[in-house]
Structures are given as C-alpha cells and as structure tokens.
C-alpha cells in the first residue's frame, strides 16, 4: 500500500462514534449548510417506507439535521411511490425531471437527475433496499462534510454479510472494483466499500462530475473526485453492518461489466471493442445464450445543463 494511503487511513477514516450528533448539529447551525437525502428507488415497497420513516423521525422531527428527503422513483411497478409518500418523503418520478432528455435506465441516471430536484449544499445518497437501516447511516456520512471544510466526499464503510456469513457480501467489489483500483488508481486502495450505495458529497463537487447512467456511477464518481479534488478531500466512515437484497450471479456479471467499462473510459477514453456481455442459462435444450448491452452512456456534469444553470441564477 502507498504511504500516502496508509496516512490517509489514519486521517480520513472514521467511525460514526467519532462525531456525536450534537457536534454535527452545532456545525450545521454555525455554517448554515443544508442537507438533502436522496433515495433512488425501483420496486422497493418492502423497505423504502421504513427508511423514510426513520430519517424523518430521527433526523427531521427529533433533530433538524436533514432539510430535504426525496425519493426518486425510476419506474417502479409496485407501490414504491405510494409507500414512500405515505412515510413522509417527497416523491419525484425520474421521467418528470429534465424531460427534454429521454431517461436512460440505471441508478446513475437517477442520481444525476436528483441534483435538479434537490437544493441541499450536502447531498446524501442512500439505497432503498436496506433491511437494517439506522439513521446513523445518514448522520455518520454527512458528519465530516458539515464539520470539516476540507472534506468533499464521504463513503460509508460496513460489513456486508451474505447468507449469514460475515464479510462475504460485496462480491463485485472484491472481484472487479478492488483489483481495478489497486492496479490503476492505487490512491483509492484504502476505500473499504468503493461501490457502496451510501455516501454523501458537497453539491459543489457533484455538479462538476459526469455520471455514468448505470452501475458504474460509484466507481466513476470516486475516480473523478480523486482527480478533481485530491485524496485528502475524500473520506470514509464506519457505519456498522449493511444488510440488503443480494443479486444473483448473472446480475453481478452485468454489474461488473459496467464497472469495467467505466474504468476503461477513465483509463484511456478509448474505443470499446464490444460493449456487450453474453451470459448463459440452462434451458430445455441446453445452455442458451443471452446478450446484454453494457452501460456506455454518461451524463455530463450538471453545471453544463442549461436548466440547472438557470436555477442557480434564479
């Protein structure tokens, strides 16, 4: 490990207990910063309501940490929107945001568009499929941004159990993302959960970043932030244990392909020979090939979007 990373691990890796809530609130009051929490959601009716309710109770009603709580529905066919609204979130459908640009499927698309319907100086992203959610997830990762002006982006780090076994979650992280980062961006080798969906950043940083529309958004954001603001502006906070819905091996393969594509673009901005991934499933007559396109589209930095610029002027 680079000496720079070893030093970073001692100065930019914290526990949620390192910043008591009362100190975070005092920093928020003194600086006047506002906080938006965004939950990207697709068919998450079983979990999104509990997450929204906990954030509202703990961080909006009990204490004034979160100013804005928004669920972006990216085309759910279940009751995700109704459940989220009933729990107290502002619900916005992806397709109603910036309608002149047709929406692409993918998590990164939703996060990018969320910048147009939120106003917080700090934007916190939380996945909607968490099953053991605690408001510490939010306060833990926004805390450094409110208390330390030198920090621009904070990732959550946690244990990810799989089928009851500790540390077995995050398979794409271990098989794809971590090797890529260690070999090509060794300054980022200290991140425990580089692909984790719980992180927060200053709007002033997010609006300058391109957003891969799909699964590559987290690794792309991390790499681009490193180049834009440097390693010392990045941090991570231990928020305990993360339990969520696990995907099957083929879905993980598609995720890995998108992440590789995102990394490849950042390595050379070169030509991708074949932006597709073929996988196999056993059918009635043997193995059947199924080919999926790999996410290749990226959205430009939000500051380049006329509607966003007009809102800032207004």
């Amino acid at each position: 490990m680079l000496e720079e990373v070893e030093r970073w691990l001692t100065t930019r890796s914290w526990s949620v207990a390192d910043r008591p809530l009362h100190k975070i609130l005092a920093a928020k009051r003194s600086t006047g910063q506002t906080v938006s929490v965004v939950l990207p959601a697709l068919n998450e009716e079983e979990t999104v309501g509990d997450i929204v309710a906990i954030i509202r109770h703990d961080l909006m009603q009990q204490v004034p940490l979160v100013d804005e709580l928004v669920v972006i529905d990216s085309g759910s066919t279940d009751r995700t929107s109704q459940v989220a609204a009933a729990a107290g979130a502002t619900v916005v459908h992806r397709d109603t945001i910036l309608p002149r640009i047709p929406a692409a499927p993918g998590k990164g698309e939703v996060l990018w568009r969320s910048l147009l319907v939120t106003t917080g100086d700090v934007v916190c992203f939380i996945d909607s499929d968490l099953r053991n959610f605690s408001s510490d997830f939010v306060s833990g990762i926004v805390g450094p941004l409110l208390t330390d002006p030198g920090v621009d982006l904070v990732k959550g780090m946690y244990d990810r159990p799989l089928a009851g076994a500790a540390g077995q979650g995050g398979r794409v992280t271990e098989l794809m993302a971590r090797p890529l980062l260690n070999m090509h961006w060794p300054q980022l080798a200290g991140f425990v959960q580089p692909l984790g969906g719980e992180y927060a950043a200053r709007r002033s940083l997010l609006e300058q970043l391109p957003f891969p529309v799909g699964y590559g958004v987290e690794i792309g954001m991390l790499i681009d932030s490193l180049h834009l603001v440097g390693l010392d502006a990045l941090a991570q906070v231990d928020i305990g244990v993360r339990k969520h819905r696990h995907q099957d091996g083929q879905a993980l393969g598609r995720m890995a392909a998108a992440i590789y594509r995102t990394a490849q673009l950042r390595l050379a901005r070169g030509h991708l020979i074949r932006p597709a991934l073929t996988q196999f499933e056993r059918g009635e007559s043997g193995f059947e090939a199924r080919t999926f396109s790999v996410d290749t589209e990226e959205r430009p930095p939000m500051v380049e979007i006329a509607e966003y610029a007009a809102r800032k002027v207004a």
Side-chain angles (χ1 to χ4, degrees):
M1 185 178 292
L2 297 177
E3 289 185 11
E4 180 183 8
V5 176
E6 292 181 350
R7 178 193 56 76
W8 178 85
L9 282 169
T10 64
T11 61
R12 285 292 188 259
S13 292
W14 299 295
S15 165
V16 67
D18 291 336
R19 289 176 174 79
L21 188 55
H22 69 88
K23 290 188 176 180
I24 298 173
L25 291 166
K28 182 176 187 288
R29 285 192 296 269
S30 66
T31 60
Q33 297 176 89
T34 54
V35 176
S36 297
V37 175
V38 172
L39 278 67
L42 176 62
N43 295 330
E44 304 294 357
E45 66 177 2
E46 293 184 5
T47 51
V48 69
D50 287 342
I51 298 172
V52 169
I54 291 170
I55 295 173
R56 277 194 57 82
H57 177 268
D58 292 0
L59 303 180
M60 300 180 81
Q61 296 170 346
Q62 295 289 98
V63 298
L65 180 63
V66 173
D67 301 283
E68 191 174 43
L69 176 54
V70 180
V71 170
I72 311 290
D73 191 329
S74 58
S76 298
T77 56
D78 65 2
R79 298 182 63 254
T80 290
S81 289
Q82 297 93 317
V83 170
T90 298
V91 179
V92 184
H93 195 282
R94 174 200 63 196
D95 296 345
T96 66
I97 307 169
L98 200 61
R100 71 174 177 86
I101 299 178
K107 179 183 178 183
E109 178 81 358
V110 173
L111 302 186
W112 181 71
R113 289 176 187 259
S114 75
L115 297 180
L116 265 167
V117 293
T118 56
T119 59
D121 302 305
V122 171
V123 182
C124 174
F125 299 118
I126 300 290
D127 280 351
S128 298
D129 64 345
L130 302 183
R131 299 186 182 279
N132 65 323
F133 181 76
S134 163
S135 58
D136 285 348
F137 281 31
V138 174
S139 59
I141 56 181
V142 304
L145 293 160
L146 296 174
T147 59
D148 189 336
V151 175
D152 286 328
L153 182 146
V154 180
K155 295 282 294 190
M157 58 175 167
Y158 28 66
D159 294 317
R160 296 181 66 180
L162 176 64
Q168 297 303 306
R171 290 162 288 173
V172 176
T173 293
E174 300 304 328
L175 296 174
M176 176 60 73
R178 200 175 307 286
L180 279 171
L181 293 177
N182 275 264
M183 289 187 290
H184 299 295
W185 295 277
Q187 286 178 294
L188 299 175
F191 277 94
V192 175
Q193 296 291 353
L195 302 184
E198 288 67 50
Y199 50 97
R202 300 191 191 281
R203 177 176 295 272
S204 56
L205 170 62
L206 293 172
E207 65 186 11
Q208 297 182 68
L209 299 176
F211 276 61
V213 299
Y215 288 126
V217 63
E218 275 85 19
I219 197 170
M221 187 179 296
L222 206 54
I223 294 167
D224 294 340
S225 295
L226 173 67
H227 291 306
L228 194 61
V229 296
L231 181 60
D232 280 343
L234 312 181
Q236 60 185 352
V237 172
D238 187 346
I239 53 179
V241 178
R242 182 188 196 268
K243 296 180 180 179
H244 65 114
R245 182 186 67 249
H246 291 285
Q247 301 195 57
D248 63 32
Q250 293 209 337
L252 296 178
R254 297 190 290 274
M255 183 184 300
I259 289 165
Y260 179 77
R261 159 65 175 177
T262 301
Q264 183 209 39
L265 282 175
R266 280 151 181 79
L267 281 169
R269 296 288 168 181
H271 175 64
L272 185 65
I273 296 174
R274 182 175 180 265
L277 175 72
T278 298
Q279 297 177 317
F280 295 88
E281 293 183 359
R282 184 179 290 279
E284 293 181 359
S285 57
F287 285 104
E288 299 174 355
R290 298 181 64 194
T291 299
F292 300 87
S293 61
V294 174
D295 296 322
T296 59
E297 190 171 0
E298 295 195 5
R299 295 306 189 189
M302 189 56 79
V303 290
E304 298 177 10
I305 299 299
E307 288 88 340
Y308 188 79
R311 192 189 74 171
K312 293 188 73 173
V313 170

